[in-house]
Amino acid sequence: MEKREQILAELQEVSQALAQINKTNVWSVPYAYFTNLPDIILGKIKEREGSFHLSSANPFKVPGGYFEGLADNILKKINTAKSEVYTDLEELAPVLNTISKNELFAVPEGYFEQVAFIAPKPQAKISSLSRTNKILCYAVAAGITGIMAVSSYLYFNNDTTQSGVAPINVAAAVDNLSEEDILTYLETNSTASDVINVNNTSDSALEVNGLLKEMPEEGIREFLNETSENGKKS
Amino acid sequence: MQLEDPELLHQFRQPETKEKAFTAIIKKYQEKLYWHIRRIVIDHDDANDVLQNMFIKTWNALENFREDSRLYTWLYRIATNESLTFLEQQKRRSAVSLSDVESGLSNKIKSDPGFDANKLEWKLQLAIQQLPEKQRIVFSLRYYDEMPYEEMSRVLETSEGALKASYHHAAKKIEDFILNH
């Protein structure tokens, strides 16, 4: 420590007022605090060290004498494994047991170090379909499917292709017939009474329709075919 | 009669005399260190906690203590660091600024049973609490512990010139406070 006078002189240079203040300790400590403090601190250190020992203790247990016999047990297992191979060969080919297993072949120096650096052979390029190619494939597939669907529909639903004769809508065809055609038909195919009735009511379309209703559909169809053929010829 | 530090350290390294030597080290330095800590943290219970913790840490660290510095300088450094760490922890716990901690320290001084606002000694304590943390420690080490700048430089790892300047600034501020309050 520097002499108190030196420190006081330094303080007087800086602050006269401060140098005049008495250095009396204004604080207090509990009774016998410093007397007991060393024992308290040492007690805490021992307590902590005790807890450290406990925390570092291994909580697991091993069977008695485990480590003493461990090395022998491992060696015994190694020898057992070796003798199994040896025993097998004694039965299969005893002469093999008499031959040294040392490698006779040699490899170039540093061969195994280089093996890891041998470049793999280039493989065939596997290219994935581009987006455009994929769309094209889907479009072709959709087209084929569409053609098949249309073909199937036409095949199963179009009777014309099978019979070669288009179906006739009798009611519509009759509506399109002229009165003269109908009278001609009746004259050639109907009974006498039908003709009389028709003549009597030639002006009444309703009566004609009534007569037509009584006629068989097959007869009307026949008539219409003949009429249409005549029309085409003329 | 107190043993010299080198002898105490030698005994500490012997298992059979370790505890005895450590007890002797505590007895030798406990009061100086306690007051150094107390002036920083103010409250006795806090000072007691810091002092005990620093000695417990010393027990573990003393094995590796290299005698290239004096034991007392080394102990002062630990005590200072522990005190500052304690104040830092207090600041974090209560989520207040350092200035709030300092005003809290002033309040602790005022709440001391022996506090007398008219006494210069108590005014001095309040004045010290107005100082920045580093200046407060420098002033305390120089004024109360009468520590040479050379030793102080090792404790605070600061140049002697900077410490002298810091001490002078601190003394001037304290004087101003005392004269104006």
Side-chain angles (χ1 to χ4, degrees):
Chain A
M1 294 288 173
E2 279 182 33
K3 287 184 180 175
R4 188 164 291 176
E5 291 76 23
Q6 281 181 308
I7 293 173
L8 186 63
E10 180 195 36
L11 190 60
Q12 281 172 336
E13 283 179 22
V14 182
S15 168
Q16 280 286 343
L18 198 55
Q20 288 171 3
I21 298 173
N22 194 350
K23 279 191 182 177
T24 311
N25 190 357
V26 292
W27 311 104
S28 61
V29 291
Y31 176 73
Y33 172 72
F34 291 115
T35 311
N36 301 324
L37 190 62
D39 289 339
I40 293 168
I41 292 170
L42 272 173
K44 287 193 174 180
I45 288 169
K46 284 179 182 175
E47 194 179 308
R48 286 191 182 198
E49 288 201 327
S51 66
F52 291 152
H53 286 307
L54 278 176
S55 64
S56 63
N58 192 344
F60 302 107
K61 289 181 179 176
V62 294
Y66 172 75
F67 290 109
E68 284 75 13
L70 186 63
D72 286 343
N73 288 334
I74 292 169
L75 279 171
K76 205 179 284 179
K77 283 192 175 179
I78 292 167
N79 289 330
T80 306
K82 188 181 175 182
S83 65
E84 277 176 11
V85 175
Y86 189 86
T87 310
D88 287 347
L89 280 177
E90 279 293 307
E91 290 176 7
L92 296 168
V95 74
L96 287 176
N97 275 336
T98 62
I99 302 168
S100 169
K101 287 185 178 178
N102 291 338
E103 290 290 351
L104 295 174
F105 303 106
V107 292
E109 196 176 340
Y111 170 74
F112 291 111
E113 286 75 19
Q114 291 171 359
V115 169
F117 298 101
I118 294 171
K121 288 180 182 175
Q123 295 178 343
K125 190 182 175 185
I126 301 167
S127 57
S128 60
L129 285 172
S130 66
R131 186 179 164 80
T132 314
N133 287 341
K134 281 179 184 173
I135 292 168
L136 191 62
C137 286
Y138 290 138
V140 169
I144 292 167
T145 310
I147 289 165
M148 288 174 71
V150 171
S151 304
S152 303
Y153 176 80
L154 290 173
Y155 179 79
F156 291 110
N157 295 292
N158 194 351
D159 293 337
T160 312
T161 51
Q162 277 187 332
S163 62
V165 180
I168 297 164
N169 188 341
V170 175
V174 169
D175 286 342
N176 291 332
L177 288 173
S178 67
E179 195 173 328
E180 191 181 70
D181 290 337
I182 294 166
L183 288 172
T184 308
Y185 168 74
L186 290 172
E187 282 172 4
T188 53
N189 296 289
S190 305
T191 57
S193 59
D194 291 335
V195 176
I196 292 163
N197 287 335
V198 169
N199 286 334
N200 292 338
T201 58
S202 58
D203 294 331
S204 174
L206 287 170
E207 286 180 9
V208 171
N209 285 338
L211 290 170
L212 282 173
K213 279 178 186 172
E214 290 174 8
M215 285 185 71
E217 191 173 329
E218 203 172 324
I220 294 170
R221 186 173 286 153
E222 216 169 285
F223 164 75
L224 287 171
N225 285 336
E226 283 174 10
T227 312
S228 63
E229 278 172 13
N230 291 334
K232 279 177 187 174
K233 283 175 185 174
S234 63
Chain B
M1 183 180 171
Q2 284 185 334
L3 292 170
E4 294 295 317
D5 287 351
E7 179 56 27
L8 286 171
L9 288 169
H10 175 73
Q11 288 188 5
F12 181 79
R13 291 187 182 109
Q14 312 303 315
E16 62 274 14
T17 52
K18 188 174 182 176
E19 283 188 20
K20 188 184 159 195
F22 194 69
T23 305
I25 290 169
I26 295 173
K27 283 181 177 172
K28 189 175 180 179
Y29 291 109
Q30 64 180 356
E31 285 198 45
K32 283 181 182 296
L33 293 170
Y34 170 84
W35 289 117
H36 173 60
I37 294 166
R38 178 85 188 260
R39 286 183 202 112
I40 297 173
V41 301
I42 305 298
D43 184 68
H44 165 73
D45 290 334
D46 295 340
N48 182 40
D49 285 346
V50 173
L51 183 68
Q52 290 191 17
N53 281 336
M54 74 141 286
F55 270 122
I56 290 167
K57 285 185 179 178
T58 303
W59 170 269
N60 295 319
L62 207 54
E63 297 269 9
N64 304 316
F65 174 68
R66 292 175 301 169
E67 291 179 54
D68 51 0
S69 63
R70 289 175 63 181
L71 178 60
Y72 118 96
T73 307
W74 186 67
L75 291 172
Y76 259 86
R77 189 155 67 205
I78 297 174
T80 306
N81 289 338
E82 283 294 308
S83 303
L84 294 177
T85 304
F86 174 82
L87 291 181
E88 189 67 28
Q89 285 172 345
Q90 268 200 330
K91 189 176 76 179
R92 281 187 198 154
R93 270 186 213 136
S94 51
V96 295
S97 67
L98 191 62
S99 60
D100 289 335
V101 171
E102 284 159 2
S103 63
L105 293 174
S106 293
N107 290 333
K108 280 182 182 174
I109 292 169
K110 288 173 187 171
S111 64
D112 191 278
F115 179 75
D116 184 347
N118 296 318
K119 280 193 174 178
L120 268 178
E121 291 81 6
W122 283 106
K123 273 192 181 178
L124 175 60
Q125 297 306 318
L126 289 175
I128 292 169
Q129 295 312 313
Q130 312 306 311
L131 298 173
E133 197 173 77
K134 186 76 179 285
Q135 278 185 18
R136 196 160 71 233
I137 292 167
V138 170
F139 183 82
S140 175
L141 287 172
R142 183 70 178 167
Y143 182 80
Y144 288 109
D145 296 307
E146 297 176 346
M147 189 180 280
Y149 286 117
E150 189 188 352
E151 291 290 341
M152 213 190 294
S153 173
R154 293 195 191 108
V155 171
L156 300 176
E157 295 176 322
T158 309
S159 71
E160 288 184 37
L163 290 170
K164 281 179 188 173
S166 190
Y167 178 69
H168 281 230
H169 280 300
K172 275 287 174 198
K173 284 181 189 172
I174 289 168
E175 186 186 49
D176 288 345
F177 182 89
I178 290 170
L179 294 175
N180 295 310
H181 286 81

